Amino acid sequence: MARGPRKRLVNQRKASDELTEEEEEEDDESSSPAVRYEPLPSPVAVEGQEGSSQRPVRVYADGIYDLFHFGHARSLEQAKKLFPNTHLLVGCCSDAITNKYKGKTVMTEAERYESLRHCRWVDEVISDAPWVINKEFLDKHQIDYVAHDALPYADNSGAGNDVYEFVRAAGKFMETKRTDGVSTSDLIMRIVKDYNEYVMRNLARGYSRKDLGVSYVKEKQLQVNMGMRKLGQKVREQRERVEKRVWSLLNTVAKTAGIHHSEWVENADRWVSGFLEKFEEGCYLMEKAIRTSIKKGLIGPNLEEKSTMKLLPSSSYSKSV
């Protein structure tokens, strides 16, 4: 399961930095509704069918299983339910072989092995599993069938051969279905997309900027952005309260002055809109002034420090480093 990434992550961190509040709100509104995933049916034992006797059918599934998620679990559930009596062996590749043929993982091999051991469908975990399955491996573990999705995955020959070519030719391949909407690559993409949010969350929880690999200037920029976002939310809430009060006041004035209803309706929107427009303009100018002042405070000392470093003699600089 999930040997190869499904999508390429391109400039996600840059996109996260440049994402405006309006774009975030539009993205939230356009997000798809929650999907319900129903449990898969269990197979019914039929006399004479494989797995219906006392000896269980030994089914093997393999993968990287990084950031183990329910898409992985559902594929293993399918493999476990291929026969009424199944012993599911799950092979997980080591860090060394994964880094060589696929790339860096988030979780270590020990963490990935342990995640699989806690999956209810897994009967046995085979650590340091081979990238390509051969006859010797099948015989060693007495494997009857290999379960995986039907997509081809390149082996380590460089010729573009399918990892499961041998198993297919031997008639031992059983197809499982991928779960749409979730994969390790998708989860990583979500984190990268909301990179700033997660950095601020972890800073608030006590992690240092060094733990997160964030520069001093970046940390302050994120804090300013989060502060301005909270300020914007308060402004919107205050705007709603002010609008209600203005409408209430205008209603009272209209009744007291005996203004006709049609005349009141005709002019009320214009009065309220004009007032709120001035209110929002003032809030915008205030926010702009705050941002400018903070940026000067952040960038000014940083540039001054860099200029000082350039003026230092090369020998002094090398000693300080």
Side-chain angles (χ1 to χ4, degrees):
M1 176 69 180
R3 280 185 180 272
R6 306 301 303 158
K7 294 180 181 178
R8 187 179 301 275
L9 303 179
V10 181
N11 295 329
Q12 290 292 338
R13 180 171 295 184
K14 179 179 178 182
S16 176
D17 292 342
E18 297 176 352
L19 195 64
T20 65
E21 187 172 286
E22 292 180 356
E23 290 172 333
E24 289 175 346
E25 291 176 353
E26 290 175 0
D27 185 65
D28 292 339
E29 292 174 357
S30 62
S31 59
S32 57
V35 179
R36 292 182 60 86
Y37 296 93
E38 301 296 335
L40 303 173
S42 299
V44 179
V46 178
E47 188 176 352
Q49 181 187 17
E50 285 187 279
S52 59
S53 61
Q54 290 184 350
R55 178 192 178 280
V57 177
R58 294 174 67 83
V59 176
Y60 175 77
D62 65 350
I64 309 303
Y65 302 107
D66 194 20
L67 295 178
F68 189 82
H69 51 76
F70 72 90
H72 292 139
R74 284 179 68 86
S75 71
L76 297 177
E77 180 185 5
Q78 293 176 64
K80 178 68 175 178
K81 292 181 177 181
L82 286 172
F83 302 99
N85 186 11
T86 301
H87 181 85
L88 181 59
L89 304 90
V90 180
C92 188
C93 300
S94 66
D95 288 343
I97 194 171
T98 303
N99 291 341
K100 182 178 180 181
Y101 294 117
K102 181 179 178 182
K104 182 176 175 59
T105 58
V106 177
M107 301 171 68
T108 65
E109 58 185 43
E111 292 168 337
R112 292 183 286 115
Y113 299 157
E114 191 64 18
S115 297
L116 285 166
R117 291 190 184 100
H118 288 273
C119 179
R120 63 179 294 188
W121 311 112
V122 178
D123 296 304
E124 183 180 343
V125 175
I126 300 176
S127 58
D128 194 14
W131 194 259
V132 181
I133 305 169
N134 53 31
K135 187 177 185 303
E136 289 72 23
F137 182 81
L138 296 181
D139 293 341
K140 176 183 177 181
H141 296 282
Q142 300 179 330
I143 296 170
D144 298 310
Y145 294 96
V146 175
H148 205 276
D149 63 74
L151 292 175
Y153 292 89
D155 61 12
N156 54 9
S157 66
N161 298 323
D162 185 10
V163 169
Y164 302 102
E165 185 176 342
F166 161 75
V167 182
R168 295 176 193 274
K172 293 179 176 291
F173 185 83
M174 301 292 287
E175 181 183 347
T176 58
K177 302 293 185 183
R178 297 178 65 92
T179 300
D180 293 334
V182 62
S183 70
T184 299
S185 297
D186 289 335
L187 294 178
I188 293 174
M189 184 180 68
R190 295 181 199 178
I191 295 171
V192 173
K193 178 183 176 184
D194 296 322
Y195 166 76
N196 291 342
E197 294 281 351
Y198 292 115
V199 169
M200 285 306 305
R201 184 184 72 170
N202 283 356
L203 286 172
R205 292 183 177 183
Y207 288 88
S208 70
R209 63 180 180 83
K210 292 183 178 179
D211 293 332
L212 302 173
V214 176
S215 68
Y216 171 81
V217 173
K218 181 66 176 179
E219 177 190 19
K220 297 307 177 185
Q221 287 176 339
L222 290 174
Q223 289 174 344
V224 169
N225 290 337
M226 291 300 293
M228 297 309 298
R229 182 175 298 181
K230 290 180 180 178
L231 177 62
Q233 179 62 31
K234 289 182 179 179
V235 168
R236 285 193 293 272
E237 293 172 357
Q238 182 66 16
R239 178 189 182 280
E240 292 175 0
R241 288 194 291 268
V242 169
E243 185 175 0
K244 289 179 180 179
R245 289 176 184 174
V246 171
W247 274 104
S248 176
L249 177 62
L250 289 176
N251 271 318
T252 303
V253 170
K255 289 179 181 178
T256 304
I259 300 176
H260 193 271
H261 182 266
S262 59
E263 183 182 354
W264 154 245
V265 172
E266 181 180 345
N267 292 291
D269 284 340
R270 179 168 53 84
W271 294 336
V272 173
S273 297
F275 177 83
L276 292 177
E277 184 178 340
K278 291 293 183 183
F279 179 81
E280 290 178 349
E281 182 181 349
C283 291
Y284 170 76
L285 292 174
M286 178 183 67
E287 179 181 342
K288 186 177 179 181
I290 292 173
R291 284 184 180 274
T292 303
S293 177
I294 292 173
K295 284 181 179 179
K296 286 181 178 178
L298 286 175
I299 298 174
N302 188 51
L303 291 176
E304 184 178 344
E305 182 182 347
K306 288 183 178 179
S307 300
T308 305
M309 294 297 290
K310 288 180 180 179
L311 293 174
L312 287 173
S314 58
S315 58
S316 301
Y317 178 75
S318 60
K319 288 178 183 178
S320 64
V321 175

